[in-house]
Amino acid sequence: MTAAVALGAKPTATTIALVGRPNAGKSSLYNALTGGTARVGNFPGITVDVLEAQVTFGTGDAVTVVDLPGVYSVEAIADPESDEGHARRYLDRLSSAGTPHLVAQVLDATHLPMGLRLTLELKRRGAPMVLLATQHDELMRRGSMLDAKALSAALGLPVLAVSARSPNVKQQLEAFLADAVRVRAVEPTLVTDVDALAAQVLKPLGDSKAQAAAVRRRTERMDALLLHPVFAPFLFVGLMTALFAAVFLVSDPVTGLIDLVNRALGARLESALGPGWVSSLLVDGVLGGAGTVLGFLPQIVILTMAMEVIEASGYLARGTFLVDRILKLAGLGGRSFVPLLTAHACAVPAITSTRIIRDPGQRLRTMLVLPLMTCSARIPTYGLLIGTFFATRGPVFKGAMFVGLYAAGALAGFVASLVLGKTVKRAGRSLPLVLEMPAYRRPQAKVVLLAGWRAATRFVRDVGSVILVATVVLWALLTVPGPGSAEASLRAPPDSSPRVVAMHGSIAAFVGRALEPVTQPAGFDWRINVGLIGSVGARELMVGTMGVIFGIEGDGDEVSPLSQKLRDAKSRTGARAYGVPTGLALMAFFVIACQCMSTLAAVRRETRSWRWPAFVFGYTYSVAWVLAVVVFQVTRALGW
Amino acid sequence: MTISKLQVGQTRVVKGLRLPPGEAAWLRAVGLYEGVSVTPLRFGPFRGPVHLRTSTGAELAIDFDLAQAVDLGDLP
Ligand SMILES: Nc1nc2c(ncn2[C@@H]2O[C@H](COP(=O)(O)OP(=O)(O)OP(=O)(O)O)[C@@H](O)[C@H]2O)c(=O)[nH]1
Ligand SMILES: [Mg+2]
């Protein structure tokens, strides 16, 4: 402990708020300082929520570091629901609550003048303040460096020039901030012309003009291609297609391998434990349920890493430019693009990220159609259904089918926004589309791999906790007899084993059968219904439930994969239970239905009302059902 | 003269914003303020967004409607 701590001279737990324009580099510095995992991306508006972490510096100073969404101004009015509004509210609360705090403005050193305008506004608020001029490595690449001393003298503020990518950034920041938290006063400044000041404090390192022009030309060349009026839309669609096809084609063999290991393990367990409920619980419940879901790990990891590359490169802003017109046709706008795209990984963060949309009506409508985008939790079901009903087709057909399901989700979203655009309006100030286009950057391999690793551990954790518990509960419900079990169990297909007969009389079977009158027109029997009920909470459970049910049905058969068991499934009469029409109907259902409690909770949190999550649940389930019925009836009539 | 009427590569200075005061203030903070000069880099098809560069080195994509509301003057 330092002497200062012993004497109590140091303010305790000062809050250091990282404030700055969007895309300045706040979250990167936050991560460096706190070891945190704030999302970083080359797009203005990646951070949409306030993040906090308590840290103790090497100097012994204990502080709270806060990462905020970007702000352009702290004086112009901001929409309170927007990302900027959230940051502004936090800052206002910080000053009104009298919390000891330090405003650490993060400026992008390559865009100094605009950052300095915000500096003048922040200074007028009178809170203790320092400047972190970040991305200094980028500035040097453009042939300049920042004279931090001169800038500090002109503004009367401590200034640190730093790069988030330098290896000793943490030590630099700690040393600088530890000094800064002891400063309480703000010196006035006479600076008014920020452009002149910027010109004065940027020192050329060699031929800065030529180097800056070279960097600019590189971005121009990329833009000439990626924003080309004719080729760019094709490139965009091609890129998305390649991405989703790769998710399927690259990871499908690995999934098969995991499945194989899983089944071998099941066979071992069964022969070691002998028949009985313990072995059924472990083999059918745990391995058949959670284990089957786990097999889809590679898809999730590949998708996450690809999204990370897109985010880090600067393509998001270009995508926004490209799809703005199309989204306008659907009653949305360019700023809806990033939430809609991120929803292809998971709808929950995407719903929070609608805060970057400046128009309240568009924001609400984007939130309502987001759940239609194909999130990664649908991948296991799609993979299983394609593997089951199109097993004999080649990989190209299967890959196309998979991509087609993504397209179906996007199309459904387009149609839904068209309809909602006519009905769901919301009053409020609407700001026109204004988006900063950042320079392209090369994604860092380390960051991309880390994102993949995090997605993998999160998925394994989810499967090992929520999904495991849920599949075990489902196994229990498929084991415990329900009302009228004796009579119900007679409905098992002929020649069923006692275990299967018992399952037909279980609580789950009772509930599933009660729903059959509603779902039969879509080709769903009680077993699929149980899966659908299980997946109301989270769609991954569909595959888990199927794994459990057909694990029990295939009693003793640990050799065939789940898709084989589904194909061979018998109906009450002993005929084949499911054909292609059922498979397609189930796909249609999964494209539309919002089978995700976390998504509904996120809609509730963002809209602060129960009405909209109820609406999302209601409309997606009813449309899903209608579509499933239509698909089933039509394809069956066509004799598929 | 407005941004919407410029040719790609032509540079002019922003003279005024025909917008409600709140919106104008926000736009100035983003980087389109009186005195900054702008150069369109490309126009999105079908009255799509305008991609432009300002004299501070920033690149922005703005709505075509908004581009019509930014009045320009000759370079000093
Ligand atoms: N080369 C380099 N790139 C940086 C540095 N700091 C940030 N970046 C990159 O700049 C982009 C924006 O960084 P973020 O940390 O997400 O910026 P932010 O201010 O949190 O952005 P928002 O949350 O969108 O407001 C990312 O692509 C980062 O990888 C730096 O010091 N050097
Ligand atoms: Mg951020």
Side-chain angles (χ1 to χ4, degrees):
Chain A
M1 238 187 243
T2 61
V5 175
L7 295 172
K10 181 180 60 75
T12 46
T14 303
T15 297
I16 300 179
L18 298 171
V19 184
R21 287 170 66 93
N23 212 35
K26 300 173 293 298
S27 302
S28 302
L29 293 184
Y30 173 85
N31 288 347
L33 256 178
T34 66
T37 56
R39 257 179 78 214
V40 165
N42 192 12
F43 178 83
I46 290 288
T47 308
V48 290
D49 218 343
V50 178
L51 293 178
E52 280 191 12
Q54 261 89 34
V55 287
T56 306
F57 289 166
T59 52
D61 300 75
V63 295
T64 304
V65 182
V66 181
D67 183 24
L68 293 173
V71 293
Y72 286 109
S73 163
V74 287
E75 290 175 356
I77 20 174
D79 173 359
E81 300 292 313
S82 67
D83 51 345
E84 213 172 343
H86 280 263
R88 294 269 293 273
R89 204 159 40 244
Y90 183 89
L91 282 177
D92 290 344
R93 244 188 253 144
L94 208 54
S95 9
S96 63
T99 320
H101 67 280
L102 175 73
V103 172
Q105 190 200 343
V106 179
L107 296 97
D108 175 352
T110 65
H111 285 111
L112 212 47
M114 291 315 298
L116 290 173
R117 283 174 178 263
L118 180 60
T119 309
L120 298 187
E121 287 192 7
L122 285 167
K123 264 203 100 174
R124 284 198 278 271
R125 292 169 67 98
M129 183 176 165
V130 296
L131 297 191
L132 303 173
T134 189
Q135 312 215 27
H136 199 253
D137 56 329
E138 283 291 326
L139 182 66
M140 287 171 68
R141 232 160 52 83
R142 288 165 172 75
S144 301
M145 62 169 288
L146 176 70
D147 185 344
K149 275 219 178 70
L151 185 59
S152 172
L155 291 169
L157 295 173
V159 178
L160 177 72
V162 71
S163 157
R165 298 191 178 177
S166 99
N168 57 354
V169 52
K170 186 171 156 70
Q171 289 86 322
Q172 275 179 290
L173 286 171
E174 284 193 0
F176 176 77
L177 291 170
D179 273 345
V181 289
R182 298 189 174 82
V183 179
R184 304 260 47 114
V186 188
E187 294 171 41
T189 176
L190 298 173
V191 171
T192 48
D193 186 347
V194 289
D195 297 294
L197 177 60
Q200 180 198 327
V201 297
L202 289 175
K203 303 282 185 240
L205 292 170
D207 192 354
S208 63
K209 280 226 170 67
Q211 272 173 276
V215 171
R216 203 163 54 224
R217 259 200 311 279
R218 216 185 44 161
T219 288
E220 276 170 4
R221 269 202 302 272
M222 299 271 289
D223 274 344
L225 180 69
L226 295 176
L227 293 177
H228 190 278
V230 181
F231 301 128
F234 289 100
L235 267 172
F236 174 77
V237 174
L239 185 75
M240 292 297 138
T241 307
L243 165 64
F244 299 132
V247 167
F248 184 78
L249 295 174
V250 176
S251 42
D252 202 40
V254 187
T255 300
L257 208 68
I258 298 180
D259 193 42
L260 210 66
V261 173
N262 208 346
R263 277 180 283 127
L265 207 65
R268 275 278 180 81
L269 265 177
E270 194 147 72
S271 68
L273 296 170
W277 71 267
V278 180
S279 100
S280 173
L281 170 64
L282 290 179
V283 177
D284 304 329
V286 175
L287 282 180
T292 310
V293 183
L294 194 63
F296 290 88
L297 179 70
Q299 280 87 337
I300 313 280
V301 171
I302 291 188
L303 185 73
T304 307
M305 294 195 344
M307 291 288 225
E308 184 67 32
V309 169
I310 295 180
E311 275 182 15
S313 66
Y315 190 66
L316 284 185
R318 276 71 192 183
T320 302
F321 183 88
L322 285 178
V323 301
D324 181 69
R325 278 310 300 165
I326 297 188
L327 289 177
K328 279 228 177 75
L329 278 182
L332 305 175
R335 276 184 174 265
S336 307
F337 171 68
V338 169
L340 288 171
L341 186 73
T342 31
H344 284 80
C346 178
V348 176
I351 283 170
T352 322
S353 79
T354 57
R355 291 177 186 172
I356 66 168
I357 301 171
R358 295 283 180 269
D359 179 304
Q362 281 180 13
R363 189 183 308 139
L364 177 63
R365 290 194 299 271
T366 305
M367 226 181 282
L368 300 180
V369 303
L370 267 181
L372 296 169
M373 300 304 117
T374 305
C375 70
S376 57
R378 284 175 170 99
I379 294 178
T381 305
Y382 289 171
L384 176 66
L385 291 175
I386 292 174
T388 301
F389 296 103
F390 302 95
T392 54
R393 304 293 194 127
V396 174
F397 180 91
K398 288 189 198 165
M401 187 97 201
F402 193 71
V403 173
L405 286 163
Y406 277 90
L411 182 69
F414 187 84
V415 174
S417 4
L418 269 184
V419 175
L420 293 176
K422 304 245 183 309
T423 45
V424 176
K425 310 259 189 221
R426 197 162 242 212
R429 293 160 28 75
S430 149
L431 292 168
L433 172 78
V434 179
L435 182 75
E436 275 187 284
M437 308 274 271
Y440 289 99
R441 271 168 216 241
R442 193 191 304 277
Q444 294 171 279
K446 201 181 89 187
V447 176
V448 175
L449 289 174
L450 198 65
W453 171 249
R454 277 204 206 104
T457 46
R458 195 175 334 110
F459 185 66
V460 170
R461 208 179 43 230
D462 286 352
V463 172
S465 54
V466 184
I467 299 201
L468 180 66
V469 171
T471 47
V472 167
V473 169
L474 272 159
W475 175 87
L477 293 175
L478 284 160
T479 306
V480 179
S485 63
E487 162 210 351
S489 51
L490 295 179
R491 305 215 195 142
D495 309 324
S496 299
S497 72
R499 177 73 186 88
V500 176
V501 173
M503 178 173 77
H504 278 254
S506 67
I507 299 181
F510 174 76
V511 177
R513 214 172 275 124
L515 277 177
E516 276 187 349
V518 184
T519 61
Q520 217 136 42
F524 304 162
D525 67 356
W526 73 266
R527 290 171 289 200
I528 293 182
N529 291 350
V530 172
L532 293 181
I533 297 171
S535 56
V536 167
R539 9 177 111 76
E540 294 93 327
L541 280 176
M542 181 72 194
V543 167
T545 317
M546 292 291 112
V548 177
I549 294 181
F550 290 96
I552 296 175
E553 290 216 345
D555 217 5
D557 171 13
E558 304 311 329
V559 193
S560 331
L562 178 55
S563 53
Q564 179 72 43
K565 290 179 185 161
L566 271 171
R567 262 197 308 280
D568 295 343
K570 298 275 182 294
S571 74
R572 196 166 300 167
T573 58
R576 255 186 64 194
Y578 317 122
V580 172
T582 301
L584 291 175
L586 207 47
M587 285 180 194
F589 193 91
F590 268 76
V591 167
I592 310 286
C594 179
Q595 303 157 294
C596 181
M597 283 302 150
S598 317
T599 299
L600 296 174
V603 175
R604 148 93 191 126
R605 198 187 52 229
E606 281 307 303
T607 59
R608 275 178 271 113
S609 99
W610 286 109
R611 183 168 147 218
W612 295 116
F615 174 75
V616 169
F617 186 81
Y619 102 84
T620 60
Y621 266 84
S622 17
V623 175
W625 178 77
V626 171
L627 201 66
V629 171
V630 170
V631 167
F632 179 74
Q633 298 296 343
V634 170
T635 51
R636 200 176 49 162
L638 292 173
W640 286 17
Chain B
M1 191 65 166
T2 61
I3 294 183
S4 56
K5 299 214 178 83
L6 283 183
Q7 302 284 314
V8 167
Q10 243 185 331
T11 305
R12 291 287 184 277
V13 180
V14 174
K15 278 280 182 287
L17 305 172
R18 269 177 290 110
L19 292 169
E23 263 176 55
W26 186 76
L27 205 60
R28 286 186 191 107
V30 176
L32 275 185
Y33 49 89
E34 288 81 353
V36 81
S37 51
V38 295
T39 314
L41 302 177
R42 58 178 54 74
F43 290 87
F46 310 111
R47 293 166 59 96
V50 183
H51 180 187
L52 51 86
R53 179 177 294 142
T54 71
S55 48
T56 64
E59 288 188 20
L60 299 171
I62 66 171
D63 268 340
F64 192 80
D65 295 343
L66 182 61
Q68 289 178 312
V70 182
D71 288 325
L72 303 173
D74 286 333
L75 290 174

